[in-house]
């Protein structure tokens, strides 16, 4: 399941280090080539909102397998695109279907015993983060071997194999919980997803914190291309892609954060993660001039930032999934849509800030967004104590009842 999430999301990030070569091959302008990244984000966002909630209405294994197979088909459209129009269509459809990853994560959370949910979610999310970070590395290496289309063909084959593996090996979910939301059919499903924001304060707070943690992540990885390809470092596209190997070290935080959440430390993990996220920008601010020591600061900052983002994200998911176990796909859709909006907001701001203030401005932007996330966590904690509530944990109590898990999340 961890491998499935990584392979599913990777297709949305292959193009980032390859935009120049794709543009030359298809005769696209720089602005048109840049749309490849944008349409991937739009497709993924629509999938989060429109497809992920289906996991609470239909058989989840069938949905995950179908989306993996569809991703493989759409990757072949991208790989064989003779012009910019089909390239954008294939990319958008790939992004739409790649939300298979966000069907698999709550699937894993539901299969896990309450005492092991944090570790399970952390393990699956490790695969997802590795897919995001290593996609750039794989794209650069495979493009050098066989051109930019190679990575899409390879990923298409792997996704077909993954669809077959999930069909054969994915455990069947027990049918002890009602899965259909109030009302009938798909419109009621989407409506109930949006109502979760109004009904569940835990979701609102954690969605805000998630958005304000993924936004700095997007700021960093968007701006790094500008910094490393510029005069301070002068790296090639393949070398920039290799930095994903360094960022992948932060994925180790996902499993650790999950284990700590299982021990009742979920609030500590998210608070420390938010604080580390803010501190990472102090290291990154030292990297703008180039040279040996600035590069060391850059590596350290990348590792700390990725570790912090994962700690916050896994903690958020553990709390959100405990709110309504019978609605985990809809909760995941609501949370991840907010998370994605934060990332898109961070990327959009980065392009504007880089043009005005360069790397120092980008670091100030990342620090400001991180500080806002830390403020959200602090206000949530103070508000909870003011009303005299129990400190929420997602620690297991040995029971899987919906009422107990809901109380734990609150």
């Amino acid at each position: 399941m961890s491998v499935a999430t990584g392979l599913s999301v990777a297709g949305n990030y292959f193009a980032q280090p390859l935009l120049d070569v794709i543009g030359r091959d298809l005769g696209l302008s720089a602005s048109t080539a840049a749309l490849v990244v944008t349409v991937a984000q739009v497709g993924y966002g629509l999938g989060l909102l429109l497809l992920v909630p289906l996991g609470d209405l239909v058989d989840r294994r069938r949905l995950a397998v179908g989306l993996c197979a569809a991703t493989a088909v759409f990757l072949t459209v991208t790989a064989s695109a003779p012009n910019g129009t089909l390239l954008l269509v294939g990319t958008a459809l790939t992004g739409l279907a790649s939300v298979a990853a966000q069907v698999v994560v709550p699937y894993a959370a539901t299969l896990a015993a309450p005492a092991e949910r944090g570790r399970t979610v952390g393990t699956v999310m490790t695969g997802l983060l590795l897919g995001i970070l290593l996609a750039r590395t794989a794209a650069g290496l495979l493009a050098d071997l066989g051109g930019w289309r190679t990575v899409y063909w390879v990923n298409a084959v792997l996704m077909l194999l993954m669809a077959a593996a999930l069909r054969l090996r994915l455990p069947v979910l027990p049918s002890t919980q009602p899965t259909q939301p109030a009302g009938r059919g798909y419109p009621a499903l989407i409506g109930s997803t949006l109502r979760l924001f109004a009904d569940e304060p835990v979701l609102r707070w954690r969605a805000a914190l998630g958005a304000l943690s993924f936004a700095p992540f997007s700021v960093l990885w968007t701006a790094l291309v500008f910094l490393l390809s510029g005069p301070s470092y002068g790296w090639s596209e393949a070398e920039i892609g290799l930095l994903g190997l360094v960022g992948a070290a932060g994925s180790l935080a996902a499993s650790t954060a999950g284990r700590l959440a299982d021990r009742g430390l979920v609030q500590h993990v998210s608070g420390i993660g938010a604080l580390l996220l803010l501190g990472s920008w102090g290291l990154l601010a030292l990297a703008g001039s180039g040279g040996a020591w600035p590069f060391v600061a850059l590596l350290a900052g990348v590792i700390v930032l990725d570790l912090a983002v994962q700690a916050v994200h896994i903690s958020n998911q553990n709390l959100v999934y405990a709110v309504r176990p019978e609605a985990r796909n809809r909760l995941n859709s609501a949370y991840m849509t907010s998370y994605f909006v934060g990332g898109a907001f961070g990327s959009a701001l980065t392009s504007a800030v880089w043009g005005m203030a360069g790397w120092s401005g980008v670091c100030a932007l990342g620090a400001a967004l991180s500080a806002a996330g830390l403020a959200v966590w602090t206000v949530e904690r103070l508000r909870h104590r003011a009303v005299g509530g129990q400190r929420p944990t997602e620690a297991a109590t040995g029971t899987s009842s919906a009422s107990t898990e809901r109380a734990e999340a609150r």
Side-chain angles (χ1 to χ4, degrees), residues 100-126:
Q102 299 305 332
V103 174
V104 171
V105 174
Y107 197 117
T110 301
L111 287 170
E116 299 178 349
R117 182 171 304 121
R119 179 173 61 86
T120 301
V121 172
T123 299
V124 176
M125 286 301 300
T126 297

Side-chain angles (χ1 to χ4, degrees), residues 19 31 35 47 53-54 83 95 113 117 142 150 210 221 225 259 277 311 359 364 393 398:
L19 292 178
S31 59
L35 285 176
L54 286 170
N83 52 54
R117 182 171 304 121
L142 289 175
T150 305
W221 287 99
V225 176
R259 287 185 173 88
L277 183 58
W359 182 251
T393 70

Side-chain angles (χ1 to χ4, degrees), residues 193-217:
T193 301
L194 298 176
R195 282 195 299 273
L196 288 171
F197 283 109
D199 296 341
E200 302 298 341
V202 172
L203 175 62
R204 291 197 300 270
W205 283 106
R206 291 292 152 171
L209 180 56
L212 289 169
S213 64
F214 195 51
F217 180 91

